[in-house]
Amino acid sequence: MFWNALLLALREIRRNLLRASLTVLGIVIGVAAVITMVTLGNGATALITAQVASLGSNIVIVRPGQRMSPGQPAGWAPAFKEEDADAILDNVLAVREVAASAQRGSTVSYMTESTFTPVIGTLPNYLDVGSWKLAEGRFFHEGEQRAGRAVCVLGESVRAALFARGSPLGEKVRFRGVACEVIGVLAPKGQSALGQDQDDMLLMPLKSYQRRVAGRRSRQDVGTLLLAVREGQSTERVVREVADLMRERRGIAPNEADNFSVFDTRQISDALSSTTRVLTTLLGAVAAVSLLVGGIGIMNIMLVSVTERTREIGTRLAIGALEREVLMQFLVEAVALSSFGGLLGIALALVASFALTNLLHLPFVLDLQIMLLAFLVSAGIGVLFGFVPARRAARLDPIEALRHE
Amino acid sequence: MSTPLISLRGVTKTYGSGQAAFQALRGVSFDIAAGEFVAVMGPSGSGKSTVMNILGCLDVPSSGEYVFEGEQVERLDRTQRALLRRHCLGFVFQGFNLLARTTALENVELPLLYRGLPLAERHAQARAALALVGLTGWEHHTPAELSGGQQQRVAIARAIVTQPTLLLADEPTGNLDSERSVEIMQLLTDLNRAHGITVLMVTHEPDMAAWASRTLRFADGLVSHDSAREAAP
Ligand SMILES: Nc1ncnc2c1ncn2[C@@H]1O[C@H](COP(=O)(O)OP(=O)(O)O)[C@@H](O)[C@H]1O
Ligand SMILES: [Mg+2]
């Protein structure tokens, strides 16, 4: 009986190729859209999560100037001094280390190649506090910092710009009249969540920077202070205490606003994850609409063909088909079309989301549960709307089904 | 006389209900013995198709009794009636009711498929039935590619391919020219004589009715004239 039903179902599909392909198309659209959207959403979320992680946890960032949110440019404000860094380390007990840094955009060249990049003077603890890793070579040590040696560590983008081939280690790069030996290259972090190339920089000891790179007037200035908070200590408290300390040191009156900003990475990740939430919701809504459109397409086709199919059922019943044989045929037909459409949709979704994630530089994160759900919902609609009208027709007396208009 | 193949007793059929109710059959009774070739005549609207549908187990009477081969049909459930149609009945519809976009061969083999015959036998018997109605060479044409007369003959082939006990034909020559009509009558007579198939045929034409051994005449939902009753004194 099953083989007969399969034979009859396949014949019916072959005979109504247009109807069958429209049904399949509806399912393909639904399944492919949902899976692609969710994969993109997952990719974006994974990317942002990874970027937040690359900032390191337990980090508090202190910058001169007031900014409403991370990413907005600061207005002018007096810079910090190295003593500010020492004061934080001495007064805020929960802070383990302070990586002070100062930077100046410079054209860096090697042989005939050159690139414009921030040259950053900082301390040996920058590597650890900023959660950086080395791709090759080493970072500068305390001795080199104190002696103000002309050594530097390249970000990946700078290395790529200057050293297309060959190792940069031991070579000398030039900027602002300084010849500086490359002793290490950082492992790449890629773009920041805000779209900046984090690998576009050159690091050197702060002392060397102050002596050779910084302008005469800003010799003692430092820009950003990265604070590493001790394990288990609240970063919020550190933010409060640092803010109080800085107000005091910068002589800000109680009714004046801060002329610096202090924030922790949690605030950044909170801001970003609320963005991803919106994004995911949006993608989900688009996907749900596609699923709905696909579903309505299937319903339409099935309902339009009900008259013809009711007569077909009447004919089959009249020449001796049993109700259950007719039902089996329609069920097999609906399941075959729906699962074929579902599989095709999954295949299309895989191709599309792979291509799109590549294009958008997002990680390719598959969600099997969503794939299954999309498949089941679309195929369910297909089976339901293929099968339910058939069941109604198969319950009629043959003559009623034949007379159907 | 032995027990008849068919026995109708006081069969009525009412369409609709309440104000719109219409009684298409108002108490029809007759017997048909196995091996008869009966022509059913009467003006249009007199209930011929209605009684054929009831005899073919496609519809159920509103009241009365229908006995087929000693089996009381009203007592059968849907599945049993379907099996009766499958194994004992062949029906030629007034409107053909062929499956669209389906070749003549596949249309004709369909009842055999439901009987569970293997492919080779199905094809052989379907081809033979198509040959009987003069459609050799047209096996792979779909209804849309066939003339009304050819479709009529495919419908006849589908009804006779199972060698049914009872063949019911609602105006089988309605769409045929007189030459083809004669061929079909010849065919029905052969099936009746050589294979012992009982034939009931609705027709408007006295020429066609003349091929039958008995004529039932309908008027206003009743049998108004039965040539068998007249003959028996
Ligand atoms: N499904 C139906 N609903 C209502 N009336 C019907 C239906 N089928 C037939 N009739 C009516 O019953 C009467 C008998 O119809 P039918 O048996 O088809 O006549 P005919 O002798 O022409 O074949 C007609 O008056 C017809 O209008
Ligand atoms: Mg009629």
Side-chain angles (χ1 to χ4, degrees):
Chain A
M1 172 168 162
F2 176 76
W3 291 115
N4 266 353
L6 188 66
L7 173 70
L8 289 169
L10 291 181
R11 269 192 195 174
E12 237 14 74
I13 291 172
R14 195 192 62 210
R15 239 167 245 149
N16 300 286
L17 266 186
L18 184 65
R19 182 173 73 204
S21 20
L22 287 175
T23 309
V24 167
L25 188 70
I27 296 172
V28 168
I29 290 173
V31 171
V34 170
I35 296 176
T36 309
M37 296 291 161
V38 170
T39 307
L40 288 184
N42 282 347
T45 309
L47 179 71
I48 286 170
T49 310
Q51 282 168 340
V52 170
S54 79
L55 280 172
S57 56
N58 295 333
I59 297 291
V60 170
I61 299 165
V62 188
R63 282 183 166 158
Q66 182 59 50
R67 52 191 68 205
M68 304 307 287
S69 66
Q72 263 184 352
W76 185 88
F80 294 118
K81 304 286 175 200
E82 258 184 285
E83 296 80 63
D84 291 318
D86 296 337
I88 291 174
L89 202 54
D90 292 344
N91 292 295
V92 185
L93 294 179
V95 173
R96 176 167 56 85
E97 295 214 59
V98 178
S101 62
Q103 69 176 66
R104 194 168 182 193
S106 310
T107 301
V108 179
S109 57
Y110 172 73
M111 313 269 267
T112 57
E113 307 292 334
S114 71
T115 179
F116 188 81
T117 190
V119 169
I120 300 176
T122 188
L123 304 174
N125 61 11
Y126 185 89
L127 193 72
D128 167 53
V129 176
S131 297
W132 286 95
K133 288 194 172 52
L134 284 163
E136 53 181 324
R138 59 178 185 84
F139 209 66
F140 46 83
H141 50 69
E142 195 55 41
E144 285 165 324
Q145 145 69 11
R146 233 176 277 138
R149 298 283 291 275
V151 292
C152 62
V153 174
L154 304 182
E156 169 58 24
S157 301
V158 176
R159 184 207 61 78
L162 300 183
F163 299 91
R165 49 186 166 261
S167 170
L169 296 186
E171 303 296 330
K172 290 219 157 72
V173 296
R174 310 190 146 269
F175 48 92
R176 297 191 181 271
V178 186
C180 195
E181 184 188 342
V182 179
I183 58 169
V185 177
L186 296 173
K189 275 192 183 180
Q191 281 193 347
S192 79
L194 305 169
Q196 283 168 325
D197 180 2
Q198 302 179 88
D199 302 318
D200 185 17
M201 62 179 183
L202 180 150
L203 300 174
M204 67 190 301
L206 185 60
K207 243 315 143 30
S208 327
Y209 172 89
Q210 288 169 339
R211 201 175 288 165
R212 302 160 195 255
V213 181
R216 202 169 282 279
R217 281 187 204 193
S218 50
R219 190 143 285 175
Q220 296 308 310
D221 292 356
V222 291
T224 305
L225 304 178
L226 278 186
L227 318 185
V229 178
R230 282 181 210 284
E231 209 59 55
Q233 299 286 341
S234 147
T235 53
E236 282 157 46
R237 216 175 110 202
V238 170
V239 167
R240 260 198 325 275
E241 289 183 22
V242 168
D244 290 344
L245 181 66
M246 285 298 136
R247 286 181 71 88
E248 191 189 315
R249 288 181 64 84
R250 291 161 87 88
I252 298 171
N255 56 351
E256 266 183 281
D258 292 350
N259 60 3
F260 61 92
S261 47
V262 186
F263 48 90
D264 60 11
T265 45
R266 169 113 39 79
Q267 284 169 279
I268 300 179
S269 74
D270 284 353
L272 290 175
S273 57
S274 72
T275 312
T276 14
R277 238 189 333 269
V278 172
L279 182 79
T280 308
T281 312
L282 201 71
L283 289 177
V286 172
V289 169
S290 326
L291 201 60
L292 194 70
V293 169
I296 289 174
I298 299 166
M299 287 178 213
N300 247 332
I301 292 149
M302 293 300 184
L303 290 178
V304 164
S305 67
V306 151
T307 301
E308 187 193 323
R309 305 224 80 177
T310 302
R311 291 201 187 167
E312 178 200 328
I313 289 170
T315 304
R316 291 179 185 279
L317 291 174
I319 61 175
L322 302 182
E323 185 180 327
R324 70 177 130 89
E325 289 171 323
V326 172
L327 288 184
M328 180 68 110
Q329 176 201 326
F330 275 73
L331 191 63
V332 169
E333 186 182 324
V335 168
L337 282 182
S338 303
S339 33
F340 177 67
L343 291 178
L344 214 60
I346 289 179
L348 185 69
L350 289 181
V351 173
S353 37
F354 189 73
L356 282 173
T357 48
N358 253 340
L359 196 72
L360 302 171
H361 303 293
L362 292 175
F364 182 62
V365 189
L366 272 187
D367 188 334
L368 285 179
Q369 259 176 312
I370 291 294
M371 276 170 76
L372 197 67
L373 188 73
F375 181 91
L376 288 181
V377 169
S378 294
I381 293 173
V383 170
L384 200 69
F385 283 86
F387 185 65
V388 169
R391 199 184 56 170
R392 204 177 325 135
R395 284 189 175 163
L396 297 174
D397 272 321
I399 202 72
E400 284 175 69
L402 284 171
R403 264 200 293 256
H404 187 85
E405 270 159 19
Chain B
M1 205 166 110
S2 61
T3 48
L5 176 68
I6 289 173
S7 176
L8 289 189
R9 287 291 172 274
V11 167
T12 70
K13 178 70 189 180
T14 306
Y15 289 113
S17 58
Q19 284 282 311
F22 177 80
Q23 202 171 23
L25 293 181
R26 301 188 293 149
V28 173
S29 306
F30 59 80
D31 288 348
I32 290 172
E36 281 195 272
F37 183 173
V38 182
V40 177
M41 300 190 74
S44 109
S46 58
K48 305 182 297 294
S49 292
T50 305
V51 85
M52 293 294 269
N53 291 340
I54 288 171
L55 289 174
C57 291
L58 302 174
D59 208 354
V60 286
S62 304
S63 70
E65 199 174 79
Y66 170 25
V67 180
F68 181 88
E69 280 194 316
E71 197 85 61
Q72 202 138 9
V73 176
E74 304 85 56
R75 300 221 180 119
L76 302 180
D77 64 20
R78 288 171 56 79
T79 305
Q80 289 169 318
R81 271 184 282 139
L83 290 174
L84 192 61
R85 288 195 292 272
R86 174 185 297 185
H87 292 292
C88 304
L89 301 174
F91 207 105
V92 182
F93 297 94
Q94 199 168 359
F96 321 145
N97 285 326
L98 300 175
L99 293 189
R101 295 185 288 282
T102 303
T103 63
L105 189 69
E106 282 179 348
N107 261 301
V108 173
E109 71 159 352
L110 201 56
L112 300 176
L113 206 145
Y114 286 120
R115 279 191 178 189
L117 259 63
L119 179 82
E121 261 177 78
R122 286 203 307 265
H123 277 187
Q125 293 188 19
R127 278 176 200 284
L130 282 169
L132 271 182
V133 296
L135 281 180
T136 300
W138 294 90
E139 287 89 349
H140 299 292
H141 289 69
T142 63
E145 299 161 354
L146 297 171
S147 71
Q150 287 171 320
Q151 291 181 42
Q152 179 78 283
R153 284 184 281 152
V154 174
I156 293 170
R158 184 177 65 187
I160 62 174
V161 73
T162 55
Q163 302 271 339
T165 314
L166 172 64
L167 178 66
L168 299 158
D170 201 346
E171 305 197 27
T173 58
N175 293 282
L176 302 182
D177 57 43
S178 56
E179 207 171 317
R180 284 289 173 203
S181 299
V182 169
E183 278 177 34
I184 294 298
M185 284 306 123
Q186 193 69 57
L187 172 65
L188 292 183
T189 309
D190 281 357
L191 288 168
N192 176 248
R193 298 254 170 84
H195 299 94
I197 295 176
T198 308
V199 179
L200 239 87
M201 167 188 79
V202 174
T203 183
H204 281 300
E205 298 154 79
D207 284 1
M208 299 301 128
W211 288 81
S213 57
R214 175 180 168 191
T215 305
L216 280 173
R217 207 171 268 285
F218 276 70
D220 287 334
L222 288 170
V223 178
S224 64
H225 176 92
D226 183 348
S227 67
R229 229 176 276 158
E230 200 173 74

